[in-house]
Amino acid sequence: MVERPLEQCSAAPTGFHEALEAPLGPGLAALDGLARLGRRPAPVAADGDRLLVLLAPGSAEEVPGILGWLGWSHLDGQLRTRLIRSAPVPDRTLPTRSELPRLLDALAHACARAHLDGTVSRAPSRTPRGGRWAPDRGR
């Protein structure tokens, strides 16, 4: 699988898709929860211990802002976007921009729960605390 930072691309080149990356276990749990609520599934792939959810073109650039708006910006080390090489996928199967907040909220909640349960270790993030995550202690 080929990775390219999204900042270097204005649009996904032919043969590539924007994808949201999450830890595999929490990601599958979140998608299962959304399916139980009657939400249509998104196309996914696994890359080792990571789940890749294919996104509609142009959606990846909105992910950090939506995570911040939902209050999950501290999970930017676990939920991140990247370009992946993939077979053609019909656009109608990709999460729409209106579905993106619900998808991100479900994935973020599952990641936070797994972190608290100790089933997933916290990935390094790009937080204002020098790139390391640390809980607020009484501030």
Side-chain angles (χ1 to χ4, degrees):
M1 197 162 301
V2 176
E3 294 182 37
R4 274 178 72 187
L6 287 174
E7 299 83 36
Q8 296 176 1
C9 307
S10 57
T14 304
F16 287 83
H17 277 92
E18 296 176 357
L20 177 65
E21 182 182 339
L24 185 61
L28 291 174
L31 294 178
D32 184 51
L34 289 171
R36 282 193 309 257
L37 293 173
R39 304 290 180 228
R40 68 186 177 102
V44 297
D47 183 17
D49 64 346
R50 305 295 291 175
L51 178 74
L52 302 171
V53 180
L54 299 184
L55 300 174
S59 296
E61 65 190 30
E62 297 180 26
V63 168
I66 294 172
L67 283 173
W69 178 71
L70 292 169
W72 294 111
S73 59
H74 61 284
L75 292 174
D76 66 351
Q78 289 188 3
L79 297 174
R80 53 187 177 250
T81 57
R82 70 181 194 184
L83 285 179
I84 62 168
R85 183 180 300 275
S86 70
V89 177
D91 282 350
R92 70 180 180 282
T93 65
L94 299 172
T96 64
R97 288 186 176 182
S98 64
E99 295 169 324
L100 195 55
R102 184 180 307 264
L103 173 64
L104 288 172
D105 193 45
L107 287 167
H109 184 266
C111 288
R113 177 179 217 122
H115 178 65
L116 290 173
D117 292 345
T119 57
V120 171
S121 63
R122 177 115 171 96
S125 70
R126 300 173 301 242
T127 63
R129 296 189 180 129
R132 291 186 303 273
W133 180 81
D136 287 331
R137 295 199 172 118
R139 285 201 250 174

